[in-house]
Amino acid sequence: MKEKTKVYIYTRVSTAVQVDGYSLDAQKSRMKAYAEFNDFEIVGEYEDAGKSGKSIEGRLEFNRMMEDIKSGKDGVSYVLVFKLSRFGRNAADVLSTLQVMQDFDVNLICVEDGIDSSKDAGKLMISVLSAVAEIERENIRVQTMEGRIQKAREGKWNGGFAPYGYKLEKGMLYINEEEAEAIRIIFDQYVHTDIGANGLAKYLANHGINKIQRQNGKNPLFDAALIRRILKNPVYCGKIAYGRRRTEKVHGTRNDYRLVEQENYLLVDGLHEAIVSEGLWHEAQVKLLAQAKKYEKVNNGKDNKVHLLTGLLKCPICGAGMYGNKSIKHKPDGTKYKDFFYYGCKHRTMTRGHKCEYKKQINEELLDGAVAEVIIKLVSNPKFAAMMQQKINMKIDTSAIEQEIANYEKQLRQSYATKSRLIDEIDTLDPDDKHYIKRKADLDDRLYKMYDKIEDTENLLIEARAKKMAIEAEKLTADNIYKVLIYFEKLYAVMDEQEKRQIMESLISEIHIYEERQPNGQWLKSIKFKLPIIEEDMEMSLDSDTHVETVILLSRKTLDAVININLDMSELDLTSAESKATYAEIKKYVLDKFGLKVSQLYIAQVKREFGLIERINYNVGEGKNHVPQVTPEKREAIIDALKHFQMIE
């Protein structure tokens, strides 16, 4: 005869009468009927009447049930509850308790809700509980926000640090005259002169007006961004604002959020004294709005243009990340030329108190293509490809750590069983026994040591499980990267811009360029890759068709690091992307070498002759219009330039 599955029944009601329309007896009847229908054997019943479900603490029967589960006393497979809400309303407690139960191969069945944590569908319960926890946190946040809104309505400051120019005393704002002087200068200069925020930052720096150091800021200078925030803040004209900025989820992402300025927000008269007049503040807002319309934002969001190397590309002067942008130029008739996308140093203007003099605008298409070409050259190397394939096929052996986990689990079950027996022995001691005190002291000592042993074993078990997860996660990450690398050229050709950006971020930590474009047209200086490779020192050629050899030093990877591969471009051939010289560069080359001035039209004619013109040329003439043709002398000079820049053979 097949042995029945053993289960526990747990019931809890806040009152002894009923809950959710069901009395305590009705709950028990439903669960017993469920057990009988599924051929379960009820080997234990636990009941907490009149106990709150907000916390597990204080629920004596519940705690006793958990101890019995840990000891393996009855060998149960399930705990039956009437509804999930009867198991506990505090999501954090429920999740942790369920994890403990599953550690001892015991699952939860909610009879009324139809949830079985041992089934695939039932595993979604954990996600549901997490959602419940999120709802609880959101409720707390809403309550907190309501309190802050009420303070704002009363004209009280409800932020953290006092805004610059004020000091906070007993929850009230008071003018800090030492700081307020700079605030008055900022508003006065901005409203009554033609300078903007950037110019104002320079003005303050040149006149020795620096920020007074605070614990919430280390930059001694007033940068343009800070000045704009000061100008926009109505606190300086005696107002209290609430809800000016709101954190919103970035569309199309899972975990990306951004602060968004709100048009409508709460604005009331504050209890504090104003630093500037309300009229002056409003004049500042008018100018801010006018300047915002003056400068067209050309790169508005991810949907328009993705700059593949933004942040990865480093400025050759200051070392800061270079950012993609676009230049919009208009013809005399008002129509636009083709947009020019480029990488430039973000510190060309005063940013966070720093300024860089590097003013080059480097063609974005050129650099993007050059970097992609280098990666293709790297991964197409036979040695590299073979190593990658080997890594994919490598099977991570976790049998040792799995055996370690099993041993700790066994020790834990034995220790819980021993602890349970010791407790039973203590409870059954006869107080009238003349050796009662000694025997109890001995049992207490053994019990305390058992608690220590259980704690140590649990810590070792947690560490072992974490180690296994780390090994598996590392293998998964590496596999994904290796697969992408092996098929990089094919994948890259069909990826969209956002996907290309993601792969660049995954593979590359830094890209360095020359300060000036090299005579051969090369911009790339070095690329620093980040690859989770476990390998000894290795020498590999990046170009199978040439003699160039690049030594790459790889060290053994730890769990908390990646391997950085520094690839010096000085020994590599010029990429085809970099070989695309501009018309200006060709003109300069011809002038320097031959002393000849050539027009863009002549260069275009020669490029078209060699099939290098990919777009429509509007200077070809229409019928009767005569278009001047390049002279033989200038044609030969242009051909020499095209060969120099490796645009033709």
Side-chain angles (χ1 to χ4, degrees), residues 377-394 482-483 485-487 533-535 538-541:
K377 189 177 286 188
L378 173 68
V379 301
S380 63
N381 178 273
K383 281 187 176 180
F384 190 88
M387 185 192 69
M388 293 293 101
Q389 191 64 55
Q390 183 183 356
K391 292 298 175 184
I392 293 176
N393 297 331
M394 181 180 65
Y482 299 149
K483 287 174 182 176
L485 283 172
I486 286 178
Y487 304 107
I533 302 173
I534 306 173
E535 189 63 57
M538 172 180 149
E539 186 175 305
M540 51 194 281
S541 170

Side-chain angles (χ1 to χ4, degrees), residues 276-296:
V276 300
S277 69
E278 191 170 340
L280 186 64
W281 185 84
H282 280 293
E283 286 184 70
Q285 307 316 299
V286 172
K287 186 173 178 179
L288 282 167
L289 186 61
Q291 288 191 326
K293 291 180 177 179
K294 180 179 178 182
Y295 299 103
E296 180 185 1

